[in-house]
Amino acid sequence: MCPIGLLPICKSYKWRLGLLDCKYWHWECRGIHLSKKWSQQTETMDPSTRQYPRAPFATAEAGIFCQEPPRLGNPYLEDVFLQAYLKSYLPPKVFAEIDVDLMRFGARLKNEIDSLGRECELNPPRLQQFDAWGRRVDHIITCAAWKKMKEISAEEGLIAEAYERRYSNWSRVHQVAKLYLYAPSAGLFTCPLAMTDGAAKVIESLGIPRPVREAYANLTSRDPRKFWTSGQWMTERKGGSDVANGTETVARELPNGTHTLHGFKWFTSATDADISLTLARVVSAEGQIEQGSKGLSLFYLETRDKEGKLNGIQIQRLKEKLGTKQVPTAELFLDGARAHQISALGRGVASIANMLTITRIHNAISAVGGMRRMISMAKDYATKRQAFGKPLKEHPLHMQTLARMEVQARGAFLLLMETSRLLGLEDTKMATEQDLHMLRLLTPVAKLYTAKQAIAVISEGLECFGGQGYMEDTGLPAALRDVQVLSIWEGTTNILSLDVLRALIKSQGKALDAFFSSAQAKLDAAISLSELKPSAQAVQSALHKLGQFIQKSGSKADAEMQLAARDLAYTLARTYGGVLLLEYATRPSASATDIVTAQRWCHQELCPIDRGEKAGSYNTEAAFLDLSLVYTGSPVLEAKL
């Protein structure tokens, strides 16, 4: 055993750590080359060379074990849950065509795209602000793999698929399934794709106004020479989700009806995009600027002019981030950027609602896709890694851990696909009123909950590889760094929880009625099956407790309901996840593992809102105690308590 704790290292990496000369050892770390055992190495040092003589068999190889790494196969063929879902829910003819496409795409992911994604991770963007002669150029330099990802996105129709609608309302499901497979290998190119999809949806919802017709065609093109990506520039110095009070950028109208934008955008993702949508306050003819959300309008701008020069934009710096380093994210100074107003005056926030729906669903795609990839790699590794005399897959505790991860991933997958199915109905104007309420409710629920699941599952997944899960050159740690953004981007967990609450209140009870109605309809079949009846009853009990809480909520103050918002959102996610898994387990083609998955999901606490209510967590006293618990003894607020 190595006295300095060096782990066996795979010879294929050709890592040379150098020679270590000492009284006891002489070894070279390529595999591990040992001279003699610790107790046998007793040579004295040659005073002329100040070196110990090498043993006769110093180059003999001993203990050169090389661990076989996990293998990425065809992600589609290895994802039996995805295949079974599509076969069960898509019309047979649609499934037959999509199945062929995803099989082909899975092979491309394995043979081409995954290595490009790794190149994007290893070669992050950089900013060249000046050329050799001192001229300001503000050029974001991205690697060849990042540029290739843009071409692949067009060729594969990763945006176009949702807008061509070859399969009517199922086109969105096809697109989401493809992005779900793509996301873990994409080198974070899913970020510009999310905003591109969001921009296309907004432009379509506005009737494709004349100034953006060409842009819409390019955003939804399959031709790599024409395909455009979009940015989303909403965040300013005052911060994130509160755009109504945080937006300071102003728009000045020109005689030709266009505008120039003036302001500072603090956080712009995929800053190398061809276009962007952004919010600004229009300056009236009298020089007045209206504050609040009513003062915000939506603008479209192209980032560069016909000569390739930046459109009144200065790139101040690229952001240094925990993860997602592959994506160029920048601070921008808008100094007369030419733009077109595409929303009605003061309707900017309302106009981006569709964009938020899309980008939040994309967030869930990355979360669920990331979980699936980590589990897939861990499953493969468990067949190859030997520990204590047998493969990891023969250790019951290890398999229990993987099984728990699998249950979470399957529940998250069904939440994602149900939300996508509803979006497809909305895309094609086939959605009922209940469908629309469910889409509005499930979008923030799925986004916030799958993000939290992904962080936990991927962190657990790294443990499945032991120390190698912590080694950068395996590529595994990047997954954990990148997944952390999912609970922050497009609204933190608390912001999304308040959005769920807002959706319930604004619908005047209709969203909850839709939720209960949908849940009960899907549970009916499970109640009649003996294997699923206890689990279905557990979900029904959770729904009943949720209903009781809602009935009491009418007498609660706004502050009290805000305290309950997070537990409420978790309750909606867990109960509806259980509903979807139970429905899936009642299919004629359901397997024994489908039944076990539903049962195990329903073993968790399904209704945290009930526990919190019984514990008195949502009243004024609890809020005061929360503040005291955090700040008692702190000089920050001690005098105010």
Side-chain angles (χ1 to χ4, degrees), residues 245-562:
N245 297 308
T247 303
E248 298 175 317
T249 298
V250 298
R252 301 184 185 279
E253 188 171 7
L254 299 174
N256 64 1
T258 63
H259 292 74
T260 58
L261 303 184
H262 308 264
F264 194 90
K265 296 296 180 179
W266 178 250
F267 193 96
T268 65
S269 285
T271 316
D272 63 334
D274 302 279
I275 70 161
S276 185
L277 299 186
T278 189
L279 294 172
R281 300 185 187 280
V282 176
V283 180
S284 70
E286 296 77 26
Q288 300 297 311
I289 301 173
E290 185 170 357
Q291 299 302 311
S293 62
K294 292 182 179 179
L296 292 174
S297 299
L298 184 64
F299 290 85
Y300 157 85
L301 62 88
E302 295 178 14
T303 54
R304 294 183 179 270
D305 61 22
K306 301 299 181 184
E307 298 177 357
K309 296 180 180 178
L310 284 170
N311 170 23
I313 301 167
Q314 283 189 357
I315 303 176
Q316 300 299 93
R317 63 168 176 159
L318 293 184
K319 294 289 197 179
E320 294 287 340
K321 300 169 290 181
L322 167 68
T324 68
K325 297 176 185 292
Q326 309 92 315
V327 183
T329 307
E331 296 173 15
L332 301 181
F333 178 55
L334 305 184
D335 186 19
R338 295 293 184 95
H340 295 273
Q341 181 183 324
I342 60 173
S343 74
L345 184 65
R347 295 287 296 168
V349 173
S351 297
I352 65 171
N354 282 311
M355 174 183 285
L356 293 176
T357 296
I358 296 295
T359 53
R360 287 170 177 175
I361 290 174
H362 273 260
N363 203 91
I365 292 170
S366 293
V368 182
M371 283 188 270
R372 174 52 58 207
R373 176 61 59 84
M374 182 59 72
I375 293 170
S376 177
M377 299 294 277
K379 283 163 54 179
D380 184 66
Y381 191 65
T383 67
K384 297 172 178 176
R385 177 64 176 167
Q386 296 272 339
F388 304 105
K390 56 186 177 182
L392 291 180
K393 70 181 182 67
E394 295 181 15
H395 289 273
L397 184 58
H398 188 78
M399 296 314 296
Q400 181 192 71
T401 301
L402 279 174
R404 288 175 176 175
M405 293 162 62
E406 181 71 31
V407 168
Q408 290 300 310
R410 291 188 179 200
F413 174 83
L414 291 183
L415 273 173
L416 167 64
M417 297 311 291
E418 178 66 5
T419 309
S420 304
R421 184 188 71 82
L422 293 168
L423 178 60
L425 293 172
E426 190 273 340
D427 281 340
T428 51
K429 297 180 170 46
M430 297 169 64
T432 64
E433 183 181 5
Q434 176 172 304
D435 293 332
L436 294 176
H437 283 304
M438 286 298 292
L439 176 62
R440 173 67 182 91
L441 185 59
L442 284 185
T443 298
V445 167
K447 188 277 183 188
L448 72 87
Y449 198 71
T450 58
K452 286 296 193 183
Q453 286 177 294
I455 293 169
V457 167
I458 290 176
S459 178
E460 189 75 68
L462 293 190
E463 290 191 43
C464 295
F465 299 92
Q468 289 299 89
Y470 201 67
M471 298 297 111
E472 282 289 352
D473 43 13
T474 65
L476 294 167
L480 184 59
R481 282 199 308 274
D482 291 342
V483 76
Q484 186 64 58
V485 79
L486 299 180
S487 63
I488 298 171
W489 190 57
E490 295 306 316
T492 62
T493 306
N494 284 349
I495 291 295
L496 269 292
S497 298
L498 293 173
D499 188 55
V500 169
L501 191 60
R502 190 179 306 112
L504 296 176
I505 293 171
K506 192 172 181 179
S507 71
Q508 298 180 329
K510 292 181 180 179
L512 265 179
D513 288 343
F515 180 84
F516 284 117
S517 176
S518 173
Q520 192 55 56
K522 293 177 183 297
L523 281 176
D524 285 344
I527 286 288
S528 62
L529 296 178
S530 59
E531 305 154 287
L532 295 173
K533 187 174 182 179
S535 300
Q537 288 175 333
V539 173
Q540 283 186 324
S541 175
L543 290 170
H544 177 69
K545 293 173 184 175
L546 172 61
Q548 288 182 320
F549 174 82
I550 296 299
Q551 286 180 347
K552 297 176 185 176
S553 66
S555 60
K556 293 183 182 292
D558 288 347
E560 293 178 337
M561 285 304 296
Q562 287 187 21

Side-chain angles (χ1 to χ4, degrees), residues 46-66:
D46 184 337
S48 63
T49 62
R50 298 187 60 79
Q51 292 183 353
Y52 291 94
R54 296 177 68 91
F57 302 103
T59 58
E61 295 184 351
I64 53 166
F65 167 74
C66 291

